[in-house]
Amino acid sequence: MSDPKNAETFAFQAEIAQLMSLISNTFYSNKDIFIRELISYSSDALDKIRYQSLTDPSVLEGERDLEIKIIPNIDDNTLTFHDTGVGMTKADFVNNLVTNTKTKTK
């Protein structure tokens, strides 16, 4: 299962950072749409582990509850999204980012 202590943080290249800024400021200026998108990614992660468990039940050992948690931090004015699914690799993330950008610009 995913362990927040083992979570990986990616430093983006300048081009990707600019693209992220463009996406967040242009396509996701509506916060409700952006939050819905993040919940959708978490839902996909749950679907991914559910699918993997069909052929490898051990992936659910120790973490039977598939859930999405949204944790508000009022002091920092942030929301943290945490799910118990299978996360994306760096390649998956970049690929999805590019795919979503192409979709949103059509």
Side-chain angles (χ1 to χ4, degrees), residues 30-62:
N30 184 331
K31 292 177 185 173
D32 293 339
I33 293 172
F34 183 66
I35 290 171
R36 184 178 67 206
E37 213 45 45
L38 293 175
I39 293 169
S40 176
Y41 286 142
S42 288
S43 177
D44 291 347
L46 296 180
D47 288 343
K48 188 174 178 180
I49 197 166
R50 191 177 295 116
Y51 178 74
Q52 284 181 351
S53 73
L54 296 174
T55 56
D56 182 8
S58 69
V59 298
L60 291 177
E61 286 179 5

mmCIF file of all heavy atoms in Angstrom, residues 30-62:
data_model
loop_
_atom_site.group_PDB
_atom_site.id
_atom_site.type_symbol
_atom_site.label_atom_id
_atom_site.label_comp_id
_atom_site.label_asym_id
_atom_site.label_seq_id
_atom_site.Cartn_x
_atom_site.Cartn_y
_atom_site.Cartn_z
ATOM 1 N N ASN A 30 -11.680 27.564 -11.772
ATOM 2 C CA ASN A 30 -12.826 27.219 -10.942
ATOM 3 C C ASN A 30 -12.375 26.135 -9.968
ATOM 4 O O ASN A 30 -12.096 25.008 -10.362
ATOM 5 C CB ASN A 30 -13.976 26.730 -11.823
ATOM 6 C CG ASN A 30 -15.217 26.440 -11.029
ATOM 7 O OD1 ASN A 30 -15.162 26.083 -9.846
ATOM 8 N ND2 ASN A 30 -16.358 26.583 -11.675
ATOM 9 N N LYS A 31 -12.293 26.476 -8.696
ATOM 10 C CA LYS A 31 -11.762 25.553 -7.689
ATOM 11 C C LYS A 31 -12.582 24.280 -7.579
ATOM 12 O O LYS A 31 -12.042 23.208 -7.305
ATOM 13 C CB LYS A 31 -11.655 26.245 -6.337
ATOM 14 C CG LYS A 31 -10.607 27.324 -6.323
ATOM 15 C CD LYS A 31 -10.567 28.039 -4.996
ATOM 16 C CE LYS A 31 -9.583 29.200 -5.091
ATOM 17 N NZ LYS A 31 -9.601 30.020 -3.911
ATOM 18 N N ASP A 32 -13.890 24.362 -7.802
ATOM 19 C CA ASP A 32 -14.727 23.171 -7.728
ATOM 20 C C ASP A 32 -14.330 22.143 -8.777
ATOM 21 O O ASP A 32 -14.285 20.944 -8.515
ATOM 22 C CB ASP A 32 -16.205 23.527 -7.913
ATOM 23 C CG ASP A 32 -16.757 24.364 -6.776
ATOM 24 O OD1 ASP A 32 -16.153 24.339 -5.686
ATOM 25 O OD2 ASP A 32 -17.781 25.037 -6.976
ATOM 26 N N ILE A 33 -14.025 22.622 -9.975
ATOM 27 C CA ILE A 33 -13.616 21.717 -11.057
ATOM 28 C C ILE A 33 -12.270 21.097 -10.728
ATOM 29 O O ILE A 33 -12.058 19.899 -10.922
ATOM 30 C CB ILE A 33 -13.570 22.463 -12.404
ATOM 31 C CG1 ILE A 33 -14.991 22.870 -12.810
ATOM 32 C CG2 ILE A 33 -12.924 21.606 -13.484
ATOM 33 C CD1 ILE A 33 -15.058 23.781 -14.009
ATOM 34 N N PHE A 34 -11.351 21.889 -10.197
ATOM 35 C CA PHE A 34 -10.033 21.380 -9.840
ATOM 36 C C PHE A 34 -10.137 20.315 -8.756
ATOM 37 O O PHE A 34 -9.518 19.251 -8.846
ATOM 38 C CB PHE A 34 -9.143 22.536 -9.383
ATOM 39 C CG PHE A 34 -7.741 22.117 -9.055
ATOM 40 C CD1 PHE A 34 -6.907 21.644 -10.047
ATOM 41 C CD2 PHE A 34 -7.266 22.185 -7.755
ATOM 42 C CE1 PHE A 34 -5.601 21.251 -9.763
ATOM 43 C CE2 PHE A 34 -5.972 21.798 -7.461
ATOM 44 C CZ PHE A 34 -5.145 21.337 -8.456
ATOM 45 N N ILE A 35 -10.940 20.546 -7.742
ATOM 46 C CA ILE A 35 -11.117 19.569 -6.656
ATOM 47 C C ILE A 35 -11.761 18.301 -7.203
ATOM 48 O O ILE A 35 -11.363 17.184 -6.855
ATOM 49 C CB ILE A 35 -11.925 20.176 -5.494
ATOM 50 C CG1 ILE A 35 -11.067 21.227 -4.782
ATOM 51 C CG2 ILE A 35 -12.389 19.099 -4.522
ATOM 52 C CD1 ILE A 35 -11.800 22.043 -3.754
ATOM 53 N N ARG A 36 -12.744 18.459 -8.079
ATOM 54 C CA ARG A 36 -13.371 17.281 -8.683
ATOM 55 C C ARG A 36 -12.343 16.456 -9.459
ATOM 56 O O ARG A 36 -12.359 15.228 -9.431
ATOM 57 C CB ARG A 36 -14.517 17.728 -9.602
ATOM 58 C CG ARG A 36 -15.290 16.561 -10.189
ATOM 59 C CD ARG A 36 -16.435 17.011 -11.047
ATOM 60 N NE ARG A 36 -15.904 17.674 -12.228
ATOM 61 C CZ ARG A 36 -16.554 18.585 -12.923
ATOM 62 N NH1 ARG A 36 -17.756 18.975 -12.553
ATOM 63 N NH2 ARG A 36 -16.012 19.118 -13.994
ATOM 64 N N GLU A 37 -11.439 17.116 -10.136
ATOM 65 C CA GLU A 37 -10.375 16.442 -10.893
ATOM 66 C C GLU A 37 -9.464 15.650 -9.949
ATOM 67 O O GLU A 37 -9.088 14.516 -10.231
ATOM 68 C CB GLU A 37 -9.598 17.512 -11.635
ATOM 69 C CG GLU A 37 -8.987 17.234 -12.961
ATOM 70 C CD GLU A 37 -9.776 16.522 -14.003
ATOM 71 O OE1 GLU A 37 -10.938 16.805 -14.252
ATOM 72 O OE2 GLU A 37 -9.161 15.648 -14.614
ATOM 73 N N LEU A 38 -9.087 16.239 -8.816
ATOM 74 C CA LEU A 38 -8.236 15.547 -7.848
ATOM 75 C C LEU A 38 -8.942 14.331 -7.263
ATOM 76 O O LEU A 38 -8.335 13.271 -7.088
ATOM 77 C CB LEU A 38 -7.806 16.501 -6.733
ATOM 78 C CG LEU A 38 -6.875 17.632 -7.157
ATOM 79 C CD1 LEU A 38 -6.625 18.574 -5.980
ATOM 80 C CD2 LEU A 38 -5.568 17.086 -7.702
ATOM 81 N N ILE A 39 -10.231 14.452 -6.979
ATOM 82 C CA ILE A 39 -10.993 13.319 -6.468
ATOM 83 C C ILE A 39 -11.073 12.227 -7.532
ATOM 84 O O ILE A 39 -10.983 11.035 -7.232
ATOM 85 C CB ILE A 39 -12.394 13.764 -6.000
ATOM 86 C CG1 ILE A 39 -12.259 14.667 -4.772
ATOM 87 C CG2 ILE A 39 -13.291 12.568 -5.704
ATOM 88 C CD1 ILE A 39 -13.538 15.382 -4.372
ATOM 89 N N SER A 40 -11.201 12.632 -8.775
ATOM 90 C CA SER A 40 -11.233 11.665 -9.877
ATOM 91 C C SER A 40 -9.924 10.880 -9.963
ATOM 92 O O SER A 40 -9.925 9.663 -10.177
ATOM 93 C CB SER A 40 -11.507 12.390 -11.196
ATOM 94 O OG SER A 40 -11.462 11.488 -12.279
ATOM 95 N N TYR A 41 -8.781 11.573 -9.780
ATOM 96 C CA TYR A 41 -7.489 10.875 -9.782
ATOM 97 C C TYR A 41 -7.420 9.869 -8.635
ATOM 98 O O TYR A 41 -6.929 8.749 -8.802
ATOM 99 C CB TYR A 41 -6.324 11.860 -9.660
ATOM 100 C CG TYR A 41 -6.032 12.655 -10.905
ATOM 101 C CD1 TYR A 41 -5.648 13.983 -10.811
ATOM 102 C CD2 TYR A 41 -6.135 12.103 -12.171
ATOM 103 C CE1 TYR A 41 -5.365 14.733 -11.949
ATOM 104 C CE2 TYR A 41 -5.868 12.841 -13.311
ATOM 105 C CZ TYR A 41 -5.488 14.154 -13.195
ATOM 106 O OH TYR A 41 -5.213 14.881 -14.321
ATOM 107 N N SER A 42 -7.924 10.251 -7.470
ATOM 108 C CA SER A 42 -7.926 9.326 -6.333
ATOM 109 C C SER A 42 -8.830 8.128 -6.611
ATOM 110 O O SER A 42 -8.498 6.999 -6.277
ATOM 111 C CB SER A 42 -8.393 10.038 -5.057
ATOM 112 O OG SER A 42 -7.417 10.929 -4.601
ATOM 113 N N SER A 43 -9.971 8.382 -7.220
ATOM 114 C CA SER A 43 -10.882 7.301 -7.577
ATOM 115 C C SER A 43 -10.220 6.333 -8.562
ATOM 116 O O SER A 43 -10.362 5.104 -8.445
ATOM 117 C CB SER A 43 -12.158 7.879 -8.177
ATOM 118 O OG SER A 43 -13.028 6.852 -8.584
ATOM 119 N N ASP A 44 -9.488 6.880 -9.515
ATOM 120 C CA ASP A 44 -8.754 6.038 -10.468
ATOM 121 C C ASP A 44 -7.727 5.173 -9.754
ATOM 122 O O ASP A 44 -7.514 4.015 -10.106
ATOM 123 C CB ASP A 44 -8.064 6.886 -11.532
ATOM 124 C CG ASP A 44 -9.038 7.548 -12.497
ATOM 125 O OD1 ASP A 44 -10.234 7.165 -12.510
ATOM 126 O OD2 ASP A 44 -8.605 8.468 -13.220
ATOM 127 N N ALA A 45 -7.065 5.735 -8.738
ATOM 128 C CA ALA A 45 -6.071 4.980 -7.968
ATOM 129 C C ALA A 45 -6.732 3.821 -7.220
ATOM 130 O O ALA A 45 -6.162 2.728 -7.127
ATOM 131 C CB ALA A 45 -5.348 5.898 -6.984
ATOM 132 N N LEU A 46 -7.940 4.036 -6.716
ATOM 133 C CA LEU A 46 -8.672 2.959 -6.044
ATOM 134 C C LEU A 46 -9.093 1.887 -7.044
ATOM 135 O O LEU A 46 -9.016 0.686 -6.753
ATOM 136 C CB LEU A 46 -9.895 3.517 -5.311
ATOM 137 C CG LEU A 46 -9.617 4.481 -4.170
ATOM 138 C CD1 LEU A 46 -10.930 4.956 -3.544
ATOM 139 C CD2 LEU A 46 -8.713 3.870 -3.122
ATOM 140 N N ASP A 47 -9.541 2.326 -8.214
ATOM 141 C CA ASP A 47 -9.901 1.355 -9.256
ATOM 142 C C ASP A 47 -8.695 0.518 -9.659
ATOM 143 O O ASP A 47 -8.805 -0.691 -9.893
ATOM 144 C CB ASP A 47 -10.457 2.071 -10.491
ATOM 145 C CG ASP A 47 -11.846 2.638 -10.273
ATOM 146 O OD1 ASP A 47 -12.520 2.222 -9.304
ATOM 147 O OD2 ASP A 47 -12.254 3.501 -11.078
ATOM 148 N N LYS A 48 -7.545 1.158 -9.729
ATOM 149 C CA LYS A 48 -6.322 0.466 -10.139
ATOM 150 C C LYS A 48 -5.945 -0.630 -9.142
ATOM 151 O O LYS A 48 -5.637 -1.755 -9.537
ATOM 152 C CB LYS A 48 -5.184 1.481 -10.273
ATOM 153 C CG LYS A 48 -3.914 0.932 -10.876
ATOM 154 C CD LYS A 48 -2.910 2.070 -11.089
ATOM 155 C CE LYS A 48 -1.601 1.578 -11.648
ATOM 156 N NZ LYS A 48 -0.643 2.673 -11.845
ATOM 157 N N ILE A 49 -6.012 -0.332 -7.841
ATOM 158 C CA ILE A 49 -5.654 -1.361 -6.862
ATOM 159 C C ILE A 49 -6.739 -2.441 -6.789
ATOM 160 O O ILE A 49 -6.449 -3.616 -6.590
ATOM 161 C CB ILE A 49 -5.356 -0.764 -5.465
ATOM 162 C CG1 ILE A 49 -4.612 -1.807 -4.648
ATOM 163 C CG2 ILE A 49 -6.614 -0.293 -4.765
ATOM 164 C CD1 ILE A 49 -3.959 -1.272 -3.403
ATOM 165 N N ARG A 50 -7.988 -2.047 -6.976
ATOM 166 C CA ARG A 50 -9.077 -3.029 -6.988
ATOM 167 C C ARG A 50 -8.874 -4.003 -8.150
ATOM 168 O O ARG A 50 -9.014 -5.214 -7.993
ATOM 169 C CB ARG A 50 -10.413 -2.299 -7.117
ATOM 170 C CG ARG A 50 -11.618 -3.166 -6.887
ATOM 171 C CD ARG A 50 -12.932 -2.370 -6.945
ATOM 172 N NE ARG A 50 -13.024 -1.388 -5.868
ATOM 173 C CZ ARG A 50 -13.066 -0.066 -6.058
ATOM 174 N NH1 ARG A 50 -13.005 0.446 -7.266
ATOM 175 N NH2 ARG A 50 -13.171 0.743 -5.046
ATOM 176 N N TYR A 51 -8.492 -3.487 -9.299
ATOM 177 C CA TYR A 51 -8.235 -4.318 -10.472
ATOM 178 C C TYR A 51 -7.028 -5.235 -10.236
ATOM 179 O O TYR A 51 -7.069 -6.424 -10.547
ATOM 180 C CB TYR A 51 -8.008 -3.419 -11.692
ATOM 181 C CG TYR A 51 -7.697 -4.181 -12.951
ATOM 182 C CD1 TYR A 51 -8.694 -4.874 -13.632
ATOM 183 C CD2 TYR A 51 -6.404 -4.215 -13.461
ATOM 184 C CE1 TYR A 51 -8.409 -5.580 -14.791
ATOM 185 C CE2 TYR A 51 -6.109 -4.916 -14.618
ATOM 186 C CZ TYR A 51 -7.107 -5.595 -15.278
ATOM 187 O OH TYR A 51 -6.817 -6.294 -16.412
ATOM 188 N N GLN A 52 -5.961 -4.688 -9.662
ATOM 189 C CA GLN A 52 -4.773 -5.503 -9.379
ATOM 190 C C GLN A 52 -5.087 -6.617 -8.396
ATOM 191 O O GLN A 52 -4.532 -7.707 -8.480
ATOM 192 C CB GLN A 52 -3.637 -4.641 -8.811
ATOM 193 C CG GLN A 52 -2.935 -3.810 -9.839
ATOM 194 C CD GLN A 52 -1.798 -2.993 -9.237
ATOM 195 O OE1 GLN A 52 -1.637 -2.916 -8.020
ATOM 196 N NE2 GLN A 52 -1.010 -2.370 -10.095
ATOM 197 N N SER A 53 -5.999 -6.357 -7.455
ATOM 198 C CA SER A 53 -6.320 -7.353 -6.430
ATOM 199 C C SER A 53 -7.043 -8.566 -7.004
ATOM 200 O O SER A 53 -7.077 -9.618 -6.371
ATOM 201 C CB SER A 53 -7.156 -6.729 -5.315
ATOM 202 O OG SER A 53 -8.483 -6.478 -5.753
ATOM 203 N N LEU A 54 -7.591 -8.437 -8.199
ATOM 204 C CA LEU A 54 -8.252 -9.581 -8.821
ATOM 205 C C LEU A 54 -7.263 -10.694 -9.154
ATOM 206 O O LEU A 54 -7.587 -11.875 -9.090
ATOM 207 C CB LEU A 54 -8.994 -9.146 -10.092
ATOM 208 C CG LEU A 54 -10.155 -8.175 -9.888
ATOM 209 C CD1 LEU A 54 -10.698 -7.722 -11.237
ATOM 210 C CD2 LEU A 54 -11.249 -8.809 -9.037
ATOM 211 N N THR A 55 -6.051 -10.312 -9.518
ATOM 212 C CA THR A 55 -5.026 -11.303 -9.849
ATOM 213 C C THR A 55 -3.984 -11.454 -8.756
ATOM 214 O O THR A 55 -3.255 -12.438 -8.729
ATOM 215 C CB THR A 55 -4.314 -10.936 -11.176
ATOM 216 O OG1 THR A 55 -3.773 -9.621 -11.068
ATOM 217 C CG2 THR A 55 -5.288 -11.019 -12.344
ATOM 218 N N ASP A 56 -3.900 -10.476 -7.848
ATOM 219 C CA ASP A 56 -2.929 -10.524 -6.757
ATOM 220 C C ASP A 56 -3.576 -9.986 -5.480
ATOM 221 O O ASP A 56 -3.437 -8.803 -5.159
ATOM 222 C CB ASP A 56 -1.687 -9.702 -7.107
ATOM 223 C CG ASP A 56 -0.618 -9.742 -6.033
ATOM 224 O OD1 ASP A 56 -0.755 -10.531 -5.066
ATOM 225 O OD2 ASP A 56 0.354 -8.984 -6.160
ATOM 226 N N PRO A 57 -4.315 -10.854 -4.766
ATOM 227 C CA PRO A 57 -5.020 -10.407 -3.557
ATOM 228 C C PRO A 57 -4.098 -9.811 -2.488
ATOM 229 O O PRO A 57 -4.546 -9.063 -1.629
ATOM 230 C CB PRO A 57 -5.693 -11.674 -3.031
ATOM 231 C CG PRO A 57 -5.743 -12.608 -4.185
ATOM 232 C CD PRO A 57 -4.565 -12.269 -5.055
ATOM 233 N N SER A 58 -2.809 -10.094 -2.567
ATOM 234 C CA SER A 58 -1.886 -9.592 -1.549
ATOM 235 C C SER A 58 -1.749 -8.069 -1.580
ATOM 236 O O SER A 58 -1.312 -7.469 -0.600
ATOM 237 C CB SER A 58 -0.508 -10.239 -1.699
ATOM 238 O OG SER A 58 0.128 -9.797 -2.878
ATOM 239 N N VAL A 59 -2.134 -7.418 -2.689
ATOM 240 C CA VAL A 59 -1.998 -5.964 -2.744
ATOM 241 C C VAL A 59 -2.924 -5.260 -1.761
ATOM 242 O O VAL A 59 -2.700 -4.104 -1.414
ATOM 243 C CB VAL A 59 -2.214 -5.384 -4.166
ATOM 244 C CG1 VAL A 59 -1.177 -5.909 -5.141
ATOM 245 C CG2 VAL A 59 -3.615 -5.645 -4.661
ATOM 246 N N LEU A 60 -3.955 -5.969 -1.299
ATOM 247 C CA LEU A 60 -4.880 -5.379 -0.333
ATOM 248 C C LEU A 60 -4.578 -5.785 1.106
ATOM 249 O O LEU A 60 -5.275 -5.359 2.021
ATOM 250 C CB LEU A 60 -6.321 -5.760 -0.667
ATOM 251 C CG LEU A 60 -6.897 -5.147 -1.937
ATOM 252 C CD1 LEU A 60 -8.310 -5.658 -2.191
ATOM 253 C CD2 LEU A 60 -6.889 -3.643 -1.867
ATOM 254 N N GLU A 61 -3.545 -6.601 1.313
ATOM 255 C CA GLU A 61 -3.216 -7.023 2.667
ATOM 256 C C GLU A 61 -2.859 -5.817 3.526
ATOM 257 O O GLU A 61 -2.072 -4.969 3.124
ATOM 258 C CB GLU A 61 -2.048 -8.018 2.654
ATOM 259 C CG GLU A 61 -2.454 -9.390 2.163
ATOM 260 C CD GLU A 61 -1.290 -10.359 2.127
ATOM 261 O OE1 GLU A 61 -0.181 -10.015 2.565
ATOM 262 O OE2 GLU A 61 -1.509 -11.480 1.647
ATOM 263 N N GLY A 62 -3.447 -5.767 4.693
ATOM 264 C CA GLY A 62 -3.153 -4.686 5.624
ATOM 265 C C GLY A 62 -3.910 -3.403 5.328
ATOM 266 O O GLY A 62 -3.895 -2.475 6.120
#
